[in-house]
């Protein structure tokens, strides 16, 4: 009988979902997963084993322990990119891009960013968020450059923002902190300030006075893929990549962003019609005729408000709905194509791959891992 691998899990930033992913892989492959440090975070003095799975932060003690252990190690974070380790982590660029797309789709023209702390994760998300907004002609106000943890200062910044304004934060905790300040200052969410976080921590998002929208990223998959990478290294197998980025799964929309920001009444009517008829193969001409205006007038006013053509908005909305159906149902690709307004499955597959870089089948497989 083969000897069981002895693996130490030492997460500098503990997350239950990541732990679940690691434990699932360990159970499937007969590992002994050492989680003894979870109780009081005392690093073992004379630990010996086959490998370490960690998430480094700025703890010098953890850094020294991992480097001195001299065993195969995989890091589940990008906090310490200065240390050369194989990594599996969230695709923070994609997370930033997705947050911007969400606000653009809602018609927001005033956007901001906030994080209680600045670190490699928040910097990467902010840069992608800012750049995606800039490509749509929208400026991004950064609220966290000074006094980020000063509630009096940040409250004044919130009051000074042009309204309505949409704010993306580094995490759900940061969103909840801002939501409290908005409530105390009499700012309405989402009418005055729309708030979006990341992590989709239901314990935070669903226990606020206004429930919080959040970008979902798959921490369980990050843990599982990190364990799989560690197993490869222990076996002496070459890695296809030393940095594997896991894309976000989408956005859980709750009350904090559940409102259109478009101020043009004609555009709001168009958006409502699109939302109601998304499953049909509708186009600009049909929408214009329904609203009793010329196609050209509707296109001009829609682009001015939404920073895209109606056709581009329709495709983006259909792809977003298709992502949700691929992740949450087992409907065949042909059925999902019909449910999202595409004329046939090949057209749907081509559009989906052009937008996401992968086929619907591959996307579904990745979400199931």
């Amino acid at each position: 009988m083969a000897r069981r691998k002895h693996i130490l899990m030492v997460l500098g930033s503990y997350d239950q979902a990541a732990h679940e992913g690691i434990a699932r892989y360990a159970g499937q492959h007969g590992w002994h997963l050492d989680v003894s440090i979870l109780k009081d975070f005392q690093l073992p003095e004379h630990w010996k084993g086959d490998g370490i799975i960690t998430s480094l932060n700025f703890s010098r003690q953890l850094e020294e322990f991992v480097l001195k252990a001299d065993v195969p190690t995989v890091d589940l974070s990008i906090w310490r990119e200065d240390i050369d380790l194989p990594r599996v982590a969230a695709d923070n660029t994609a997370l930033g891009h997705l947050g911007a797309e969400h606000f653009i789709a809602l018609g927001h023209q005033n956007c901001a960013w906030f994080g209680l702390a600045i670190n490699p994760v928040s910097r990467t998300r902010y840069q992608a968020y800012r750049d995606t907004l800039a490509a749509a002609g929208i400026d991004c106000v950064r609220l966290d450059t000074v006094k980020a943890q000063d509630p009096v200062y940040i409250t004044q910044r919130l009051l000074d923002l042009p309204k309505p304004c949409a704010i993306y934060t580094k995490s759900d905790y940061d969103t909840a902190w801002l939501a409290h300040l908005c409530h105390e200052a009499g700012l309405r969410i989402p009418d005055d300030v729309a708030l979006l976080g990341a992590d989709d921590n239901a314990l935070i998002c669903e226990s606020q006075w206004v429930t919080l929208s959040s970008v979902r990223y798959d921490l369980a998959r990050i843990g599982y893929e990190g364990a799989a990478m560690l197993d490869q290294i222990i076996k002496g197998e070459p890695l296809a990549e030393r940095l594997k980025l896991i894309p976000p799964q989408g956005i859980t929309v709750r009350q904090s962003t559940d409102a259109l920001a478009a101020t043009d009444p004609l555009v709001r009517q168009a958006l409502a019609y699109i939302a109601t008829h998304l499953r049909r193969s509708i186009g600009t001409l049909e929408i214009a005729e329904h609203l009793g205006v010329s196609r050209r007038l509707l296109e001009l006013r829609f682009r001015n408000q939404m920073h895209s053509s109606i056709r581009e908005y329709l495709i983006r909305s259909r792809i977003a709905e298709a992502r949700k159906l691929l992740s949450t149902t087992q409907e065949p690709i042909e059925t999902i194509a019909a449910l999202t307004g595409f004329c046939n499955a090949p057209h749907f597959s081509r559009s989906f791959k052009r937008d996401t870089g992968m086929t619907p089948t591959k996307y579904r497989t990745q979400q199931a891992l």
Side-chain angles (χ1 to χ4, degrees):
M1 183 177 177
R3 184 182 67 85
R4 298 178 72 185
K5 294 185 178 73
H6 184 191
I7 307 299
L8 178 66
M9 186 186 81
V10 50
L11 304 180
S13 300
Y14 179 77
D15 183 90
Q16 183 175 332
H19 186 175
E20 289 171 355
I22 297 166
R24 182 157 60 92
Y25 188 93
Q28 291 172 353
H29 295 82
W31 287 2
H32 167 64
L33 186 63
D34 186 343
V35 295
S36 57
I37 71 160
L38 286 181
K39 183 177 180 182
D40 52 14
F41 203 79
Q42 290 296 313
L43 293 168
E45 292 185 15
H46 305 291
W47 181 83
K48 290 185 179 181
D50 298 290
I52 295 173
I53 189 159
T54 187
S55 59
L56 293 177
N57 50 25
F58 293 123
S59 165
R60 181 59 61 85
Q61 181 187 18
L62 177 57
E63 173 191 342
E64 291 177 352
F65 173 81
V66 167
L67 295 178
K68 287 180 180 178
D70 196 28
V71 296
T73 301
V74 169
D75 187 11
L76 303 184
S77 75
I78 63 163
W79 281 59
R80 298 302 306 274
E81 291 178 302
D82 57 310
I83 298 174
D84 184 24
L85 285 175
R87 289 181 165 86
V88 178
D91 187 340
N92 290 297
T93 297
L95 264 78
H97 177 71
L98 190 58
E101 281 194 329
H102 182 58
F103 288 149
I104 292 169
L106 291 172
H108 283 284
Q109 301 195 50
N110 304 308
C111 294
W113 166 269
F114 177 78
L116 280 165
I118 297 175
N119 54 52
V121 171
S122 63
R123 278 195 295 269
T124 303
R125 292 182 190 175
Y126 161 70
Q127 289 165 1
Y129 174 64
R130 176 201 62 197
D131 293 348
T132 305
L133 291 173
I138 303 171
D139 291 331
C140 177
V141 175
R142 189 161 185 180
L143 301 175
D144 58 0
T145 52
V146 295
K147 300 183 180 180
Q149 299 183 29
D150 182 339
V152 175
Y153 175 78
I154 296 300
T155 296
Q156 189 59 53
R157 292 293 306 274
L158 291 170
L159 290 168
D160 291 342
L161 289 170
K163 308 296 187 300
C165 185
I167 305 174
Y168 189 20
T169 77
K170 187 262 179 185
S171 73
D172 295 329
Y173 180 83
D174 297 6
T175 309
W177 194 78
L178 280 189
H180 175 72
L181 296 186
C182 287
H183 181 59
E184 292 292 307
L187 292 170
R188 299 168 300 161
I189 300 174
D191 304 271
D192 297 324
V193 177
L195 294 173
L196 175 68
D199 294 350
D200 199 28
N201 185 328
L203 294 176
I204 296 175
C205 294
E206 296 180 1
S207 63
Q208 308 302 309
W209 62 278
V210 172
T211 57
L212 305 177
S213 297
S214 185
V215 176
R216 302 190 308 275
Y217 63 97
D218 198 344
L219 282 160
R221 184 180 169 200
I222 290 171
Y224 187 91
E225 295 280 359
M229 180 181 282
L230 179 61
D231 208 9
Q232 274 188 272
I233 298 169
I234 293 171
K235 292 176 180 177
E237 299 173 358
L239 297 177
E241 50 191 350
R242 283 179 64 82
L243 173 61
K244 184 169 187 175
L245 297 177
I246 305 301
Q249 296 174 298
I251 294 176
T252 299
V253 177
R254 299 185 179 91
Q255 292 171 332
S256 68
T257 65
D258 193 15
L260 294 173
T263 55
D264 186 322
L266 181 64
V267 175
R268 291 182 70 88
Q269 290 178 61
L271 291 171
Y273 188 84
I274 290 170
T276 305
H277 298 87
L278 191 62
R279 293 188 172 188
R280 289 182 41 235
S281 185
I282 59 173
T284 306
L285 182 58
E286 177 182 331
I287 300 169
E289 289 177 347
H290 173 76
L291 298 177
V293 297
S294 71
R295 176 174 180 164
R296 177 168 173 73
L297 175 64
L298 179 60
E299 278 281 18
L300 287 172
R301 287 171 63 172
F302 193 94
R303 182 176 288 279
N304 181 61
Q305 185 88 84
M306 302 300 295
H307 309 285
S308 74
S309 69
I310 293 175
R311 181 178 179 278
E312 291 166 343
Y313 182 86
L314 277 166
I315 292 173
R316 192 164 62 237
S317 299
R318 286 171 175 152
I319 294 297
E321 180 67 13
R323 286 176 185 252
K324 184 169 71 174
L325 292 171
L326 287 166
S327 301
T328 60
T329 76
Q330 293 302 313
E331 295 286 357
I333 301 301
E334 293 78 7
T335 302
I336 290 178
L339 290 174
T340 51
F342 288 94
C343 54
N344 54 54
H347 179 217
F348 165 56
S349 295
R350 288 193 301 272
S351 299
F352 192 91
K353 186 173 183 180
R354 188 162 51 245
D355 184 83
T356 65
M358 64 184 79
T359 66
T361 301
K362 185 176 180 180
Y363 179 84
R364 171 174 272 168
T365 300
Q366 284 200 358
Q367 296 304 300
L369 289 175

